[in-house]
Amino acid sequence: MEPNAVTSDTYALRELTFPKVLARFAQRSRDKVFLTETATGRTFTYGQLDAWTDRVAHALQGFGVRRSGHTGLLMGNSAEHLAMFLAIAKIGAVSVPVNTAARGELLRYYLGQSDCETVIVDASLASRLQEVLSELPQVKRVIVVRTGDEGQGGAVEIEPTAALEVEDFHALVERATATPYAPAIEPRFCDLVLIAYTSGTTGPSKGSMLSQAAALTYGTSAAEAQGYRASDIFYVCLPLFHNNALLAATGAALVCGASVVMSRRFSVSRFWDEIRESKATITNFLGAMSSFLWSQPPSAGDADNCLRLVSMAPTPKYAAEFEERFGLRAMNNYGLSDYGMATSFTQWDPRDKLGSIGRPRRGVQVQIVDEDDFELPPGEPGEMVLRFDEPWRGTMGYYKMPEATLASRRNLWFHTGDRGMRDADGYLYFVDRKKDCIRRRGENISAFEVEQIIATHPGVADAAVFPVATATNDEEVAAVIVTKPGASLDELQLVAHCQRNMAYFMVPRYIQFRDALPTTMSQKVEKFKLRQELEAGLSQAWDREAAGVVLAR
């Protein structure tokens, strides 16, 4: 175990709340820099962040954000985004981070299904919120945050109405008291703090409910398993609306008393420069990020960086060569926003096991089971199921979806929908996905959700959406469409419809029109046949990228 690392004795689970953890380091390490923004150069010490979030909490509460109330966060990476999340946690309210690519029907669904009463939005994204506000009568207040990313044309102004209050974030905070925030009721470890939307499988996206303790154990269990320490600097370029950046990276730094360097987004061209300038020691990769960096021409200075650990999910086949070229160690942390983090492959594990997702973390049980939930012997693939030994470490279920919650936890185990295998030494390996889910560049995409939005086009009779494999260790979205008799619909029109109503990363890349979809005797679409046929010859499908179509983000 590395010096100063978090251990099982560092935190009592009942003490795990964001206000308590932040206060702990605001007292111990008041002048230590916790957060640095690469875009602006701004820095915030633990003491400054604690005082600022106190003031933001006063401002939010004065504006009507109440304990247990739900607040949507439609924001990019910024200090303001993190401050909002921490202030909401101090109030004992609930954050609902929303993917900044969401628009149209998808954005309306996220904010409506989660019962958001307040929405905090970057000014650069205000036009998207404006488009759906009329369909969100439960939203009573909007806070607009100007971060300087609005561009030359500025941003759409959201006008207040008799039923909607609108405030500027900085003006709101400026008017708030600067005294320490002391809620009438202190948030408890078991209080709901976050609704994180995860990809749907056989239905719409589900909102996973995380308690304060469950959210913070993303960090404590990773720190214990991987040996994170107070001297570490976490480079965060993944979006804060994902649990990876918010909890597994930023949250891990917080519970260690470490530091965070936050970039607005992942950039191949800027990545190593920002790593070197920040002297970052830890970062997380998702999807094809490692492929993009690996494919760059080798340089004599590739290993000239301070990174010691990089979490790669999935771990590519060239991981050992990546380690040698860039002078670091690859690790892997497996988990699901539906339930929590479960396994770790660490820097101390045998390198001949590289590619494994590791072994269960302390306090986590993992089994590989057959279709009837009976455990399988080593070497046989089956579904991975999870269970925590301690209460409140796992999610509290899916928001307003009791049947889906119960189904995911049948026989007292959480069913991941992922197929895995355990070797004779107890190391676990991810095999494939049992779920009807597409994984594209770190984003989980619900095939059902894309199909439902495509089906709203008046010319579509039926649609099947599924992943097709690519050469970059990633997946792309493919759609096979059946049009209504007499309808006139081409690929460009379909893409335009998709872009109006879904996140850019969900828009199908490969499109094919057919007269009918193959089905079983029970009329279930045989997507595996469609996938096999397209992967055997992708040239038979229309390719959005080959056609030169550039999606607005």
Side-chain angles (χ1 to χ4, degrees):
M1 187 66 65
E2 295 286 342
N4 301 319
V6 171
T7 70
S8 58
D9 300 323
T10 305
Y11 290 99
L13 194 137
R14 290 178 185 268
E15 297 301 309
L16 279 180
T17 71
F18 284 95
K20 287 182 179 178
V21 173
L22 181 55
R24 173 185 185 140
F25 289 105
Q27 294 166 7
R28 292 185 181 181
S29 311
R30 186 166 191 81
D31 297 325
K32 179 176 180 176
V33 173
F34 171 71
L35 178 66
T36 302
E37 282 188 327
T38 62
T40 65
R42 291 188 299 172
T43 61
F44 299 84
T45 66
Y46 274 96
Q48 288 170 336
L49 185 62
D50 190 38
W52 186 28
T53 52
D54 275 351
R55 191 161 187 167
V56 175
H58 280 299
L60 293 178
Q61 194 168 51
F63 192 49
V65 175
R66 58 184 177 84
R67 178 179 171 84
S68 302
H70 296 184
T71 297
L73 299 176
L74 183 58
M75 305 177 70
N77 283 11
S78 66
E80 285 78 8
H81 188 154
L82 182 59
M84 290 291 196
F85 174 79
L86 292 172
I88 290 168
K90 285 185 172 184
I91 293 171
V94 182
S95 290
V96 183
V98 177
N99 194 311
T100 54
R103 63 198 314 158
E105 174 58 26
L106 188 63
L107 178 57
R108 186 211 61 77
Y109 172 77
Y110 286 148
L111 297 174
Q113 201 274 341
S114 60
D115 294 322
C116 285
E117 301 169 344
T118 305
V119 179
I120 304 171
V121 60
D122 281 344
S124 59
L125 300 171
S127 61
R128 296 188 187 182
L129 179 61
Q130 180 70 60
E131 290 173 0
V132 298
L133 272 176
S134 63
E135 302 174 66
L136 296 167
Q138 84 283 357
V139 174
K140 305 301 182 186
R141 59 196 71 86
V142 170
I143 300 172
V144 180
V145 182
R146 289 169 173 80
T147 59
D149 284 347
E150 291 77 47
Q152 294 182 347
V156 169
E157 295 291 335
I158 297 176
E159 297 297 330
T161 67
L164 181 72
E165 294 183 86
V166 181
E167 270 284 5
D168 175 82
F169 166 72
H170 295 289
L172 191 67
V173 175
E174 185 65 27
R175 296 196 301 269
T177 177
T179 58
Y181 182 75
I185 303 175
E186 287 285 342
R188 299 187 68 216
F189 67 96
C190 53
D191 286 346
L192 179 63
V193 74
L194 177 68
I195 298 177
Y197 275 88
T198 180
S199 174
T201 54
T202 57
S205 293
K206 299 182 286 292
S208 292
M209 298 184 289
L210 283 80
S211 67
Q212 297 243 3
L216 281 162
T217 54
Y218 268 72
T220 56
S221 67
E224 180 183 345
Q226 300 290 3
Y228 299 161
R229 54 204 189 205
S231 59
D232 277 318
I233 299 173
F234 289 72
Y235 176 76
V236 176
C237 61
L238 292 167
L240 282 179
F241 55 73
H242 276 176
N243 285 1
N244 187 299
L246 181 64
L247 305 180
T250 306
L254 178 63
V255 299
C256 294
S259 301
V260 170
V261 172
M262 184 186 298
S263 183
R264 291 285 168 87
R265 60 189 62 84
F266 171 67
S267 167
V268 175
S269 62
R270 295 197 311 270
F271 182 83
W272 288 113
D273 287 340
E274 292 189 349
I275 289 291
R276 293 184 181 102
E277 290 168 6
S278 65
K279 295 182 170 53
T281 60
I282 296 174
T283 194
N284 294 344
F285 291 167
L286 284 180
M289 288 171 64
S290 55
S291 295
F292 293 146
L293 295 170
W294 179 248
S295 64
Q296 297 301 298
S299 165
D302 279 346
D304 179 22
N305 65 79
C306 295
L307 280 181
R308 66 185 187 90
L309 295 174
V310 174
S311 178
M312 294 181 168
T315 303
K317 294 185 182 300
Y318 51 79
E321 291 86 351
F322 193 100
E323 286 184 325
E324 183 176 359
R325 174 178 167 183
F326 295 107
L328 47 80
R329 283 286 196 175
M331 58 178 176
N332 194 308
N333 295 294
Y334 171 79
L336 306 94
S337 57
D338 305 60
Y339 193 60
M341 301 305 296
T343 74
S344 286
F345 181 84
T346 76
Q347 58 185 311
W348 304 289
D349 285 314
R351 301 332 273 175
D352 62 356
K353 301 289 187 181
L354 198 58
S356 165
I357 58 172
R359 292 178 291 184
R361 295 181 180 180
R362 181 188 61 81
V364 185
Q365 300 176 50
V366 180
Q367 284 191 358
I368 309 295
V369 301
D370 63 17
E371 300 243 338
D372 297 314
D373 290 347
F374 288 99
E375 188 172 14
L376 291 165
E380 287 195 32
E383 184 176 10
M384 289 190 284
V385 295
L386 314 175
R387 189 159 66 190
F388 288 116
D389 293 341
E390 298 173 294
W392 304 105
R393 276 189 64 177
T395 60
M396 300 158 71
Y398 299 120
Y399 185 65
K400 296 197 305 190
M401 292 186 174
E403 292 182 359
T405 299
L406 185 61
S408 69
R409 288 157 169 77
R410 74 174 180 272
N411 290 321
L412 303 181
W413 289 86
F414 179 80
H415 289 65
T416 66
D418 290 337
R419 296 176 70 245
M421 183 182 67
R422 189 191 305 267
D423 70 13
D425 299 318
Y427 282 85
L428 294 154
Y429 292 82
F430 176 85
V431 176
D432 58 23
R433 290 179 181 82
K434 185 178 178 182
K435 302 183 286 187
D436 186 11
C437 177
I438 303 166
R439 181 80 168 177
R440 182 183 183 275
R441 300 186 183 180
E443 300 283 359
N444 287 322
I445 301 169
S446 164
F448 173 88
E449 210 154 53
V450 178
E451 288 167 353
Q452 293 302 297
I453 292 175
I454 288 175
T456 63
H457 191 286
V460 173
D462 206 355
V465 173
F466 49 93
V468 289
T470 69
T472 60
N473 199 31
D474 211 344
E475 296 174 343
E476 289 284 355
V477 183
V480 175
I481 310 296
V482 178
T483 58
K484 293 179 180 177
S488 176
L489 178 64
D490 62 25
E491 293 87 352
L492 291 175
Q493 291 171 328
L494 185 67
V495 167
H497 171 75
C498 289
Q499 190 167 17
R500 284 194 299 270
N501 291 287
M502 63 179 70
Y504 72 91
F505 58 79
M506 299 169 70
V507 178
R509 172 177 173 179
Y510 296 102
I511 297 174
Q512 186 181 65
F513 289 95
R514 293 196 181 190
D515 293 332
L517 300 177
T519 59
T520 64
M521 292 182 65
S522 60
Q523 299 306 302
K524 293 183 178 179
V525 177
E526 296 176 309
K527 291 187 181 181
F528 73 96
K529 289 185 177 180
L530 296 172
R531 179 173 183 171
Q532 289 173 353
E533 291 172 14
L534 255 65
E535 288 184 340
L538 281 174
S539 60
Q540 63 186 298
W542 180 82
D543 182 353
R544 169 171 48 76
E545 292 191 3
V549 177
V550 178
L551 301 177
R553 300 195 175 195

